[in-house]
Amino acid sequence: MSTMTFGRAINAGLRKAMEDDPKVLLMGEDIGKLGGVFRITDGLQKDFGAHRVIDTPLAEAAIMGTAVGLAYRGFRPVCEIQFDGFIYPGFDQIVCQVAKLHYRTQGRVKMPITIRVPFGGGIGSPEHHSESPEAYFTHTSGLRVVAVSNPQDAYTMIRQAIACDDPVLYFEPKRRYHTKGEVEEGGALSLAPSMESARTVAAGTDVTLVTYGPLVSTALDAATAAADDGVSIEVIDLRSLAPVDYAVVEASVRRTGRLVITHEAAQSGGLGAEIAASITERCFNFLEAAPVRVTGFDIPYPASKLEKHHLPDLDRILDGVDRALGRPNSQSGLEG
Amino acid sequence: MGHGEAGTAGQGQDMLQLITDKGVRVSHPELDPYIADVTDEELVKLYEDMVVVRRIDTEATALQRQGELALWPPLLGQEASQIGSARALRPDDFVFSSYRENGVAYCRGVDLTDLIRVWRGNASSGWDPYEINMATPQIIIGAQTLHATGYALGIQQDGADSAAVAYFGDGATSEGDVNEAMVFAASFQVPVIFFCQNNHWAISEPVGLQSHIPLAGRAAGFGIPSMRVDGNDVLAVLAATRWALERARSGGGPSFIEAVTYRMGPHTTADDPTRYRDANELEDWRAKDPIARVAALLEASGALTPAMEEQIAAAADGVAKDLRAGCLGLVDPEPEAVFAHVYATPNSWLERQQEHYSRYLAGFSADTTEGSN
Ligand SMILES: Cc1ncc(C[n+]2csc(CCOP(=O)(O)OP(=O)(O)O)c2C)c(N)n1
Ligand SMILES: [Mg+2]
């Protein structure tokens, strides 16, 4: 067990995966000598060589498309997309090839490709550097989508993503890269919790608060603050966004009867909508109130001086909790 | 060798030829060495391949017209481009093609029924890519050039001396993927061949809309040596492909070949070329037919006799008969197949949907039982 930052934990997980399997190679922009713009791949090119940690020309479609060709030949490419907002040039290859080749070929060709995406806001950057594009990918069958929220998961789940025979979008909350945590390194993946499982990170009885990635720690802060107010919030870290581990969410909602979902991504057509609909279908009779979404607005990512208005924070989450509980809240009088 | 190195940036690129439209063997100093070993018997084999592939194409078109195939993309006119290139390959080379390379698939040894499985609507792919070292044909225009480049990067990593070959059309050269593939291939110097069949049309769009210079000229801008050959000349295509393979196998990096040919049929069986092209153009190209010219050459030398031609035609008819039988014998997929292989590992979302759908389907059989009581 050692203390390390989130970013260092991903680095250690990548290193372990590369040591374990010579077919694992990394590709991306500036990931070699520079170690990536966030330094996540720091030192890996020096230790594994330029043939396994490949600085590519600047072309995301080509990063994804050549990863497909490498997978055809039995490699396990791990592609770094420099920032969330730069994944779109690679979108076609991800959606039409990476996601569908296993199905298209009736299981003959595997696509064990991991796509690392630093995502989310809160770092005061210009446009295209703070987006949360996960719903595009959770809507695409054939892909697995995970979002990590703490250094231990970051370490373990990057290894699981790489070892998985399906393509995995691995979303990294870039504003948490410097958060420190205890990480148990090594360890057999077979003993780790499944990459598909959600985790209850705070037990509670009044409301189920579901989130992932960067907002997990905000949700935990909200639970602490609510406790002072006599409200008991159960916080669930989804970890896997496609598929969602509904068994865990459903079991919690059956006890609390109330559901709040929070994410940075825009509301309409987002993951919150999917979770609200699925939980309503699965345990409607246990719900005491309509599910509540606390999300980013349906806007292009705003200028950094405005992002505090866009991103759900502790107070907005608590306001949502109040709505779910039927307590006085910002929208009181508008319901119905 | 190759125009890229000459730095001509594609201006005034000659189209190299070894057999004229009329079937006269001409020599070319760049190409001749690559086919010096090709005997008359081997040329007859290439002729036979082209006849068979044309016959397959005719049969598949007929099957579509008869409602047995949903769609078919004819290769009529492009036989020399496909046979000449594919016959240059080794089994351990790997092909990434578009939907039109059925002649290439034939050379790779595809099972005839697998050739039409997709077009009958039975499956989204026909064959196991690893059995014939040819990927599932690509429908997204140009996407496969990146896959070939990535595969070639893998060949390079493995230290093998095989090559990856990307087949694509003239229209595809405008796609970003094709251009990005050439950037990556040049940057990493991987053993990939960009084999562009310029059949003059991308559905209704003439090649002139895609490029103001010969397509082979594009390669120079990426630092990739290229050749522009008569794509209706099976020997020239064979020679150019061998040139590119030699470069690939010896660590020479990527090459680009433009095979100048013509799509004599419609884009697919759903297309109507009379809406956008002049009938005279087709007549001009008919005079450059890839099969007729080899036949003329071989007949003149006595290497191909009328009896042999009859024999070959009969063999081609036999292949067509097998193709038809395989097509009609295909069994419709079971409903469960709709859920199969979306993921390589179990997936809770899909398992639930599959389970619900099975219950739904089971409801129908329960109803039937009730109805019959
Ligand atoms: C990305 C993409 N855009 C459009 C299409 C529709 N489409 C199918 S074939 C075709 C023309 C392709 O022309 P070319 O590359 O010259 O190949 P050819 O059909 O002549 O063999 C088009 C536009 C497609 N399949 N993929
Ligand atoms: Mg074309």
Side-chain angles (χ1 to χ4, degrees):
Chain A
M1 195 72 107
S2 52
T3 307
M4 63 177 81
T5 62
F6 207 117
R8 202 68 212 165
I10 303 174
N11 181 282
L14 290 169
R15 176 180 294 277
K16 178 81 172 99
M18 295 183 78
E19 284 165 359
D20 288 350
D21 185 349
K23 287 293 181 187
V24 174
L25 50 83
L26 314 188
M27 30 196 322
E29 297 163 6
D30 305 299
I31 67 167
K33 274 204 176 119
L34 183 64
V37 294
F38 292 109
R39 310 291 183 268
I40 304 300
T41 55
D42 186 34
L44 296 178
Q45 189 182 63
K46 191 170 134 278
D47 294 346
F48 292 97
H51 63 295
R52 289 189 70 193
V53 180
I54 304 170
D55 267 332
T56 67
L58 272 60
E60 287 74 13
I63 293 172
M64 295 320 313
T66 50
V68 167
L70 282 160
Y72 247 107
R73 202 174 159 90
F75 287 84
R76 289 185 178 268
V78 182
C79 305
E80 175 173 307
I81 298 294
Q82 201 159 63
F83 281 85
D84 37 56
F86 307 136
I87 198 169
Y88 308 112
F91 195 71
D92 166 65
Q93 285 285 343
I94 296 173
V95 168
C96 296
Q97 311 298 338
V98 175
K100 299 194 172 87
L101 261 160
H102 190 261
Y103 187 68
R104 185 179 302 145
T105 61
Q106 293 136 79
R108 286 149 173 163
V109 181
K110 291 199 169 40
M111 286 288 128
I113 296 172
T114 303
I115 307 169
R116 290 184 37 239
V117 191
F119 85 125
I123 62 161
S125 268
E127 211 185 339
H128 315 297
H129 295 78
S130 300
E131 300 186 12
S132 298
E134 60 271 20
Y136 295 120
F137 303 101
T138 60
H139 194 63
T140 300
S141 45
L143 299 177
R144 289 177 175 276
V145 183
V146 301
V148 287
S149 69
N150 61 76
Q152 180 67 64
D153 277 357
Y155 173 80
T156 306
M157 288 168 74
I158 192 66
R159 290 178 57 207
Q160 289 175 316
I162 294 168
C164 181
D165 276 345
D166 285 313
V168 180
L169 269 286
Y170 177 95
F171 282 98
E172 306 169 4
K174 64 171 92 75
R175 68 162 133 151
R176 307 290 182 208
Y177 275 149
H178 301 291
T179 303
K180 285 193 174 143
E182 292 293 303
V183 176
E184 174 90 62
E185 287 186 73
L189 289 181
S190 54
L191 300 178
S194 147
M195 187 174 69
E196 197 175 314
S197 62
R199 181 186 296 129
T200 305
V201 288
T205 52
D206 297 331
V207 183
T208 302
L209 175 58
V210 173
T211 190
Y212 53 89
L215 290 186
V216 171
S217 65
T218 315
L220 285 170
D221 291 345
T224 307
D228 294 342
D229 210 12
V231 174
S232 168
I233 300 180
E234 178 144 303
V235 180
I236 295 175
D237 177 0
L238 285 180
R239 296 168 13 108
S240 174
L241 311 187
V244 165
D245 182 1
Y246 282 118
V248 167
V249 182
E250 185 182 341
S252 174
V253 172
R254 279 173 186 257
R255 280 187 283 101
T256 64
R258 297 171 202 274
L259 173 64
V260 177
I261 308 130
T262 184
H263 54 60
E264 291 186 14
Q267 184 162 93
S268 299
L271 209 58
E274 183 55 39
I275 293 168
S278 293
I279 289 301
T280 305
E281 282 173 356
R282 286 168 192 244
C283 53
F284 179 69
N285 290 330
F286 292 81
L287 283 170
E288 306 279 352
V292 171
R293 287 174 288 169
V294 181
T295 69
F297 299 118
D298 292 347
I299 56 170
Y301 203 85
S304 59
K305 288 206 193 289
L306 291 171
E307 69 180 336
K308 64 175 182 292
H309 296 292
H310 176 62
L311 294 174
D313 59 10
L314 185 143
D315 288 324
R316 270 177 67 197
I317 291 173
L318 287 178
D319 186 53
V321 167
D322 285 339
R323 275 158 64 199
L325 284 166
R327 286 159 44 118
N329 65 80
S330 65
Q331 311 302 308
S332 290
L334 291 179
E335 287 96 342
Chain B
M1 169 78 66
H3 294 270
E5 288 161 5
T8 52
Q11 301 302 321
Q13 294 228 358
D14 301 332
M15 188 181 76
L16 312 185
Q17 203 180 46
L18 291 176
I19 306 174
T20 67
D21 306 358
K22 302 262 178 298
V24 177
R25 176 76 168 81
V26 290
S27 67
H28 191 285
E30 274 187 69
L31 294 183
D32 278 337
Y34 289 99
I35 45 96
D37 62 325
V38 177
T39 61
D40 272 357
E41 291 73 53
E42 284 164 339
L43 193 53
V44 170
K45 282 300 291 173
L46 294 172
Y47 163 82
E48 177 169 356
D49 282 340
M50 292 196 287
V51 170
V52 170
V53 157
R54 180 170 289 187
R55 186 67 188 84
I56 288 173
D57 197 59
T58 312
E59 193 66 15
T61 303
L63 283 165
Q64 194 282 331
R65 297 299 182 220
Q66 293 155 4
E68 298 295 348
L69 295 183
L71 193 73
W72 179 255
L75 61 80
L76 185 66
Q78 300 179 219
E79 294 86 355
S81 291
Q82 297 197 13
I83 301 300
S85 55
R87 283 298 182 212
L89 305 181
R90 282 194 329 222
D92 64 339
D93 296 324
F94 209 100
V95 171
F96 291 84
S97 79
S98 87
Y99 42 83
R100 205 180 297 285
E101 278 71 61
N102 292 300
V104 175
Y106 172 78
C107 294
R108 299 304 283 168
V110 72
D111 179 273
L112 288 174
T113 309
D114 286 345
L115 204 53
I116 42 82
R117 207 176 283 281
V118 170
W119 307 104
R120 193 164 164 87
N122 282 61
S124 302
S125 67
W127 56 84
D128 181 339
Y130 298 114
E131 260 173 31
I132 60 171
N133 280 352
M134 175 164 176
T136 296
Q138 187 55 240
I139 294 179
I140 303 287
I141 300 300
Q144 74 278 14
T145 57
L146 284 171
H147 306 165
T149 302
Y151 191 94
L153 187 57
I155 293 174
Q156 190 183 56
Q157 297 246 346
D158 292 341
D161 75 342
S162 55
V165 189
Y167 284 88
F168 55 101
D170 45 295
T173 60
S174 297
E175 291 282 359
D177 280 5
V178 176
N179 291 273
E180 291 189 16
M182 288 198 270
V183 169
F184 270 49
S187 184
F188 299 128
Q189 288 294 295
V190 296
V192 64
I193 299 173
F194 295 103
F195 191 90
C196 176
Q197 286 172 88
N198 173 5
N199 65 6
H200 283 81
W201 292 93
I203 311 186
S204 73
E205 298 190 349
V207 62
L209 188 63
Q210 317 292 343
S211 179
H212 278 226
I213 61 165
L215 297 172
R218 293 259 177 101
F222 297 94
I224 298 177
S226 71
M227 264 203 201
R228 185 164 195 257
V229 294
D230 184 340
N232 283 9
D233 171 351
V234 74
L235 269 189
V237 174
L238 180 69
T241 312
R242 285 179 170 182
W243 160 77
L245 283 167
E246 185 182 271
R247 288 176 37 74
R249 301 202 198 294
S250 61
S255 311
F256 185 106
I257 296 169
E258 177 188 358
V260 181
T261 180
Y262 193 75
R263 192 196 79 208
M264 293 177 79
H267 170 67
T268 66
T269 46
D271 179 39
D272 173 10
T274 63
R275 291 180 69 97
Y276 55 81
R277 72 182 185 191
D278 192 340
N280 292 329
E281 189 181 283
L282 185 58
E283 286 316 307
D284 290 349
W285 280 94
R286 224 185 276 287
K288 303 177 190 178
D289 188 279
I291 300 182
R293 75 172 75 176
V294 178
L297 176 68
L298 289 168
E299 283 161 7
S301 72
L304 185 69
T305 62
M308 288 164 73
E309 286 180 58
E310 254 172 60
Q311 233 172 38
I312 288 169
D317 284 341
V319 172
K321 209 170 144 223
D322 293 347
L323 177 77
R324 172 170 292 265
C327 173
L328 302 183
L330 272 177
V331 180
D332 282 354
E334 293 299 320
E336 304 84 67
V338 81
F339 294 103
H341 305 300
V342 179
Y343 297 92
T345 54
N347 183 285
S348 59
W349 277 359
L350 207 56
E351 279 166 5
R352 184 178 160 97
Q353 289 179 14
Q354 179 163 9
E355 189 193 309
H356 287 190
Y357 191 60
S358 308
R359 280 174 203 252
Y360 172 79
L361 288 181
F364 285 102
S365 39
D367 287 350
T368 319
T369 327
E370 257 169 48
S372 63
N373 280 340

